[in-house]
Amino acid sequence: SGDGGSGLLAQVKDPRELAGTAGGRLLFTERDNQRLRELDVAADIIDTAVTSYALDTSRGEGLEGIVPRDYDADVGFPYAVAATRGGDGEPVTLFTASYLHHRVRETDLATGLTSTLAGRKLERGHQGDGGPADEALLDGPIGLAMDAGRRRLYIAESEGGRVRVVDLESRVISTVNASQLPDGNRIYGVALDAASQSLYLASPTQHAVYRVALGAAGCRAPQGVPGGASPA
């Protein structure tokens, strides 16, 4: 509750991933409420950006009558959020990782419509590399990272223990080389360092943070950390 009012007075349930914008807005997922919230930090105003149950038609003019009020964005159990941005730094497209639905959803903020970028609802696995992302199978997408040019979206798969990447122009999906963790180990977070072209993967089962050099063959684990073996 609390939309349209102070963020300090609002009720939030099970917030997960955060993403900031150049315009001073903070986006975050609420897993159990199955929605994305948006906080204007300077004004201290909170609102719902996307919900699994209905579209927030107040976000854009003229959406009433174009998008039904009962429109289902279906961002079920969102764990992570990422965004492409316009020239003013404000989000244009939101990407939401739906962990239990095994897919990534894409919301166009100009139209308010949400579609599937990658994965198939309630189907899990590892297939489809080299083909359309929305026909591929994901296994527990839980983290998202966008490259500096906003052309590639990296998807951390918790259950699969690997990172997939979608080219946002061609919509083709592939697996990041050397991102596969040893069997039975999970990834819970992913971050991209654009300067060094490195992905960092957080593994709670290994109690380690891994570094994957993009375009290279190797993956480095921290030294001197118990259980911190490098992926094969």
Side-chain angles (χ1 to χ4, degrees):
S1 66
D3 280 359
S6 168
L8 291 173
L9 300 178
Q11 291 184 330
V12 174
K13 185 176 182 181
D14 199 17
R16 295 288 172 144
E17 190 105 350
L18 306 169
T21 74
R25 288 185 170 86
L26 182 68
L27 298 163
F28 61 93
T29 61
E30 285 187 30
R31 187 195 67 172
D32 289 353
N33 282 337
Q34 302 191 54
R35 63 181 176 177
L36 273 67
R37 305 290 290 278
E38 179 183 62
L39 176 67
D40 186 320
V41 177
D44 185 30
I45 300 295
I46 194 170
D47 206 345
T48 296
V50 180
T51 171
S52 195
Y53 303 110
L55 177 74
D56 178 9
T57 55
S58 68
R59 287 187 56 82
E61 294 183 3
L63 289 181
E64 295 86 348
I66 299 175
V67 181
R69 287 186 177 276
D70 61 352
Y71 172 77
D72 186 3
D74 203 10
V75 292
F77 302 98
Y79 268 74
V81 59
T84 61
R85 300 187 176 97
D88 59 358
E90 289 301 296
V92 174
T93 306
L94 297 181
F95 299 98
T96 310
S98 179
Y99 173 75
L100 292 181
H101 287 180
H102 304 291
R103 62 182 180 173
V104 174
R105 300 283 278 169
E106 175 182 16
T107 301
D108 183 333
L109 293 180
T111 65
L113 295 176
T114 299
S115 58
T116 297
L117 172 71
R120 301 202 295 263
K121 186 176 182 179
L122 300 178
E123 295 185 51
R124 58 182 294 190
H126 181 237
Q127 68 179 48
D129 280 356
D134 61 355
E135 296 179 7
L137 294 183
L138 304 178
D139 198 355
I142 200 167
L144 300 174
M146 188 82 66
D147 74 351
R150 307 285 165 181
R151 293 187 297 268
R152 295 182 181 85
L153 182 69
Y154 294 88
I155 306 167
E157 294 183 358
S158 173
E159 305 304 312
R162 67 180 71 86
V163 178
R164 312 286 286 278
V165 59
V166 177
D167 184 307
L168 296 178
E169 294 182 0
S170 67
R171 302 298 169 120
V172 170
I173 193 170
S174 58
T175 298
V176 174
N177 190 33
S179 68
Q180 178 73 60
L181 297 189
D183 289 345
N185 290 291
R186 297 180 175 184
I187 300 172
Y188 266 42
V190 59
L192 173 66
D193 180 2
S196 66
Q197 282 297 285
S198 298
L199 279 178
Y200 292 92
L201 316 178
S203 173
T205 51
Q206 285 278 11
H207 305 285
V209 174
Y210 293 93
R211 174 179 175 267
V212 178
L214 297 177
C219 176
R220 300 183 61 185
Q223 300 302 307
V225 177
S230 295

